[in-house]
Each structure stands twice: as structure tokens, then as C-alpha cells.
């Protein structure tokens, strides 16, 4: 399960992807649009900036913007910055491996192969979902909802 912080980060990045190429976006705009507490959002955006996903500009006309093209940022990168390991157990993590303290032998462990499959399934989705793809899918979903509402009203 992803944290609320990660969910807010993804929502904020969706807004920044929609506004990509238009200049810096104010925290207050993102906060209002996605209903994210402003103080919490500030900490999230700072963390994403410190990991090279965002850049910030101070002063009049300042705010946050994506540092790289949204096609080059995937959800796995974002989740690792915000939540850390994606793996369900530390012994199957690619980037944060730690041997489980209650395991006598990883080779004969009955749980480890299952957790590897869970990790691989999650990674397959997260790594293939770029910010652009996520934002496009969100926009397509909204169009479908509008079309359904229009059809129901006629």
C-alpha cells in the first residue's frame, strides 16, 4: 500500500505534468486543485526537488515545475523517493535489500518467492507508468465520465 504522502505526491505531479512547459506553478494552486494540505505539500515538493524530479523558482512568478520531461519520470521513481522500498519485504528489494532477521535461509524460505512475484508485478506497473501516461489516462477517464453524464441527461 502506498502512503498518503505518496498519493499526494502523485496528485501534485499530475498537476505539474498538465502544466508542463508553462512555467512555475504555485504551491497554493496545486494545493487547492488537488485538495492537499499546503504545509504537507510544501514538504513533499521539497523532497521531490531534492531528488531531481522538480525544480523551484523563488520570487514573483515563482513556484515548482518538472525538471525533466514527464515521459522520463515513472511512478516507481516517485514512490521510491517518497516511500522508500517498493518491495513488500526487505529481502526482495532491488534498491534497499536487507536480509530478514527472522529468516534462517533465503534459499529455502517459502515466503521469499511469493514476495519476489509481488514485487515484480508492482514494479511492472509502476515502471511502465510515466507521469505523462498517468496524466493522459486520467484525462481520458474524465472525458468518458463527461460523455456518460451527457448521455444520461439526454
Amino acid at each position: 500500500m502506498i502512503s498518503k504522502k505518496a498519493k499526494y505526491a502523485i496528485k501534485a505531479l499530475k498537476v505539474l505534468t498538465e502544466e508542463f512547459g508553462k512555467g512555475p506553478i504555485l504551491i497554493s494552486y496545486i494545493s487547492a486543485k488537488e485538495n492537499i494540505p499546503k504545509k504537507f505539500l510544501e514538504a513533499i515538493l521539497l523532497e521531490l526537488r531534492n531528488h531531481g524530479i522538480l525544480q523551484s523558482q523563488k520570487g514573483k512568478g515563482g513556484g515548482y515545475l518538472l525538471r525533466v520531461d514527464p515521459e522520463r519520470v515513472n511512478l516507481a521513481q516517485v514512490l521510491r523517493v517518497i516511500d522508500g522500498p517498493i518491495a513488500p519485504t526487505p529481502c526482495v528489494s532491488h534498491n534497499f535489500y536487507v536480509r530478514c532477521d527472522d529468516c534462517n535461509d533465503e534459499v529455502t524460505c517459502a515466503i521469499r518467492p511469493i514476495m519476489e512475484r509481488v514485487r515484480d508485478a508492482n514494479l511492472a506497473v509502476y515502471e511502465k507508468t510515466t507521469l505523462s501516461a498517468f496524466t493522459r489516462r486520467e484525462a481520458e477517464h474524465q472525458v468518458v465520465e463527461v460523455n456518460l453524464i451527457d448521455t444520461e441527461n439526454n
Side-chain angles (χ1 to χ4, degrees):
M1 180 178 347
I2 68 170
S3 67
K4 185 170 243 176
K5 184 178 177 183
K7 192 173 179 182
Y8 285 160
I10 293 168
K11 286 180 167 195
L13 288 167
K14 179 182 73 80
V15 173
L16 292 168
T17 299
E18 292 167 347
E19 303 293 332
F20 184 67
K22 298 178 184 175
I25 307 301
L26 294 171
I27 291 174
S28 57
Y29 174 79
I30 299 167
S31 173
K33 184 166 185 184
E34 293 299 327
N35 197 27
I36 303 170
K38 190 176 172 192
K39 280 289 187 194
F40 198 27
L41 180 59
E42 287 173 358
I44 292 167
L45 297 178
L46 183 61
E47 198 167 346
L48 292 169
R49 188 199 74 185
N50 291 341
H51 282 86
I53 295 173
L54 300 180
Q55 69 182 53
S56 61
Q57 292 182 1
K58 294 183 179 188
K60 187 174 181 182
Y64 279 90
L65 62 156
L66 286 166
R67 178 171 277 163
V68 295
D69 188 300
E71 280 294 333
R72 295 183 49 220
V73 180
N74 64 47
L75 293 184
Q77 293 168 287
V78 175
L79 292 174
R80 283 188 179 114
V81 166
I82 301 298
D83 283 349
I86 292 171
T89 57
C91 67
V92 298
S93 178
H94 286 304
N95 297 313
F96 302 94
Y97 171 85
V98 175
R99 182 180 170 87
C100 294
D101 57 2
D102 61 338
C103 187
N104 294 328
D105 180 16
E106 287 182 355
V107 175
T108 60
C109 178
I111 297 170
R112 192 167 196 266
I114 296 165
M115 295 301 111
E116 286 175 328
R117 290 189 359 233
V118 170
R119 175 207 60 209
D120 292 345
N122 282 334
L123 279 176
V125 174
Y126 294 148
E127 288 178 341
K128 289 178 185 168
T129 306
T130 64
L131 294 179
S132 291
F134 172 75
T135 304
R136 273 194 308 271
R137 175 157 170 17
E138 186 82 8
E140 290 167 3
H141 180 70
Q142 289 172 355
V143 168
V144 169
E145 282 183 356
V146 168
N147 287 341
L148 287 173
I149 292 168
D150 288 345
T151 305
E152 291 171 358
N153 292 333
N154 290 328

